[in-house]
Amino acid sequence: MTERRALTILFADVSGSTRLFESRGDLEARRLIASVLDALSEVAARHGGRVVKTIGDEIMCTFPSALNGLFAATDMQRRIKHDDGFQRDKLAIRIGLHHGEALVENGDVFGDAVNVAARMADKTLARRDQVVTTASTVAGVTNVAGLRVRPLGNAWVLGKQAPIEIVDVLWQEDLAPVTTLQRVLQADQVAAEGSRLTLRHRGQVFELDESATFSIGRDPASSLVVETEWVSRNHALIEWKRGHFMFADRSTNGSWLRMGEANEVLVHRDEVHLRQSGTISLGQVHGGDELDLLHFQCGEE
């Protein structure tokens, strides 16, 4: 029998599982992932949740209310972050959730709410150690028990005619590393291409070829470390995809691109082809400190 019910759908995904299989081998990687999913299942049960299924390195749960799901999500992050064993293996999770009408049939859950929740957990929206949800899910509950959120702008969901407003649920006890949010002004997309890419930033020069994966952010492990408060820890990636160098923004504030003499455009949790030459301003519009600009030049080998 099919039943329509208002539920909170939560997806939690083990971040970086592909690298885990490469570095630890299949058997050990599967054991570690299973231990993470077991821990997440225990947290879900404590908050009145039900595990619908596990799919590889991902768990899908349902909760009777938005508050149950939100508290479960924050506790899941703390459970992984405070476990010495998980941290020794550098394990982390990303979580996406949404509250809405769903179809329940034979123990499984279907419908629009599931699709939206799955989109929230997608790695293009949610990063490791992050909980992303829709603004509608947190409406009316953000003042309960200190639950804190920050806006992340809008995201497109397949099948929706308009973008959905999304937020980041702040679960960390110490919010000092959290990126300062700035208001963005407009959004657009640009297409470009190139087989080699030269990057310049504050006297540093980087030459990228088709094998490169180039990370940008405040994280000390980034290929290019940019230490300003409006730049996210894992702000952006440049990779070779489908015959082009692609710039993928994963940040809170977005990235502003200017191609040649064209007007700047905003890339926020999206990706674009890089073409010819131009500049990228991370986290804020052009016009600030010109030294902070990232200059790029695409060219054929």
Side-chain angles (χ1 to χ4, degrees), residues 101-117:
E101 291 287 326
L103 297 176
V104 181
E105 181 178 327
N106 297 326
D108 208 343
V109 186
F110 307 92
D112 182 66
V114 177
N115 294 335
V116 175

Side-chain angles (χ1 to χ4, degrees), residues 5-181:
R5 190 187 310 168
L7 290 171
T8 296
I9 316 296
L10 180 150
F11 288 91
D13 201 342
V14 180
S15 179
S17 59
T18 300
R19 289 190 296 272
L20 191 64
F21 277 94
E22 293 175 350
S23 62
R24 303 298 290 272
D26 291 350
L27 292 178
E28 180 64 6
R30 287 180 62 186
R31 184 191 68 79
L32 291 171
I33 291 172
S35 65
V36 172
L37 298 184
D38 286 344
L40 300 183
S41 298
E42 293 173 5
V43 175
R46 289 203 305 269
H47 289 275
R50 180 178 71 88
V51 175
V52 177
K53 55 187 157 185
T54 58
I55 312 163
D57 58 1
E58 183 179 65
I59 190 171
M60 174 185 176
C61 311
T62 62
F63 297 87
S65 72
L67 200 56
N68 289 92
L70 289 164
F71 282 156
T74 57
D75 280 356
M76 285 177 178
Q77 290 288 8
R78 295 187 184 109
R79 172 70 175 85
I80 302 304
K81 188 59 67 176
H82 294 166
D83 187 290
D84 292 339
F86 292 150
Q87 291 309 296
R88 184 171 56 250
D89 291 306
K90 298 180 180 180
L91 296 172
I93 58 173
R94 62 176 183 269
I95 297 176
L97 67 155
H98 173 66
H99 184 81
E101 291 287 326
L103 297 176
V104 181
E105 181 178 327
N106 297 326
D108 208 343
V109 186
F110 307 92
D112 182 66
V114 177
N115 294 335
V116 175
R119 177 73 173 108
M120 297 301 103
D122 188 274
K123 64 182 179 181
T124 60
L125 294 185
R127 304 188 303 271
R128 59 186 287 134
D129 299 328
Q130 193 170 28
V131 177
V132 174
T133 188
T134 54
S136 62
T137 298
V138 300
V141 301
T142 53
N143 292 324
V144 178
L147 188 67
R148 295 161 295 176
V149 302
R150 62 175 176 177
L152 291 176
N154 295 325
W156 287 95
V157 177
L158 187 64
K160 295 288 188 180
Q161 295 184 349
I164 296 176
E165 185 180 357
I166 65 174
V167 299
D168 182 8
V169 181
L170 305 179
W171 57 270
Q172 301 92 336
E173 288 85 353
D174 178 12
L175 295 179
V178 172
T179 305
T180 301
L181 181 72

Side-chain angles (χ1 to χ4, degrees), residues 272-289:
V272 298
H273 300 165
L274 294 178
R275 182 184 60 210
Q276 299 178 351
S277 63
T279 55
I280 303 171
S281 182
L282 303 170
Q284 60 180 356
V285 298
H286 286 69
D289 189 344

Side-chain angles (χ1 to χ4, degrees), residues 262-276:
N263 293 331
E264 63 183 352
V265 294
L266 172 67
V267 182
H268 188 214
R269 294 179 176 268
D270 203 348
E271 60 181 15
V272 298
H273 300 165
L274 294 178
R275 182 184 60 210
Q276 299 178 351

Side-chain angles (χ1 to χ4, degrees), residues 124-264:
T124 60
L125 294 185
R127 304 188 303 271
R128 59 186 287 134
D129 299 328
Q130 193 170 28
V131 177
V132 174
T133 188
T134 54
S136 62
T137 298
V138 300
V141 301
T142 53
N143 292 324
V144 178
L147 188 67
R148 295 161 295 176
V149 302
R150 62 175 176 177
L152 291 176
N154 295 325
W156 287 95
V157 177
L158 187 64
K160 295 288 188 180
Q161 295 184 349
I164 296 176
E165 185 180 357
I166 65 174
V167 299
D168 182 8
V169 181
L170 305 179
W171 57 270
Q172 301 92 336
E173 288 85 353
D174 178 12
L175 295 179
V178 172
T179 305
T180 301
L181 181 72
Q182 297 189 353
R183 185 177 300 277
V184 297
L185 304 178
Q186 68 181 60
D188 204 346
Q189 288 187 324
V190 175
E193 62 180 83
S195 58
R196 289 190 66 83
L197 186 70
T198 301
L199 298 172
R200 294 181 173 85
H201 180 265
R202 288 185 172 268
Q204 301 179 82
V205 180
F206 305 89
E207 296 287 344
L208 279 62
D209 60 20
E210 298 177 11
S211 65
T213 297
F214 191 86
S215 57
I216 305 167
R218 292 204 323 264
D219 192 320
S222 299
S223 307
L224 172 62
V225 179
V226 182
E227 296 181 341
T228 55
E229 65 181 271
W230 51 84
V231 173
S232 295
R233 285 184 59 83
N234 300 287
H235 196 97
L237 278 179
I238 298 177
E239 296 178 285
W240 178 265
K241 291 183 179 179
R242 302 182 297 277
H244 308 283
F245 280 107
M246 303 291 293
F247 177 90
D249 179 89
R250 299 181 172 181
S251 71
T252 297
N253 293 326
S255 302
W256 293 85
L257 271 69
R258 177 175 287 161
M259 304 279 189
E261 299 300 319
N263 293 331
E264 63 183 352

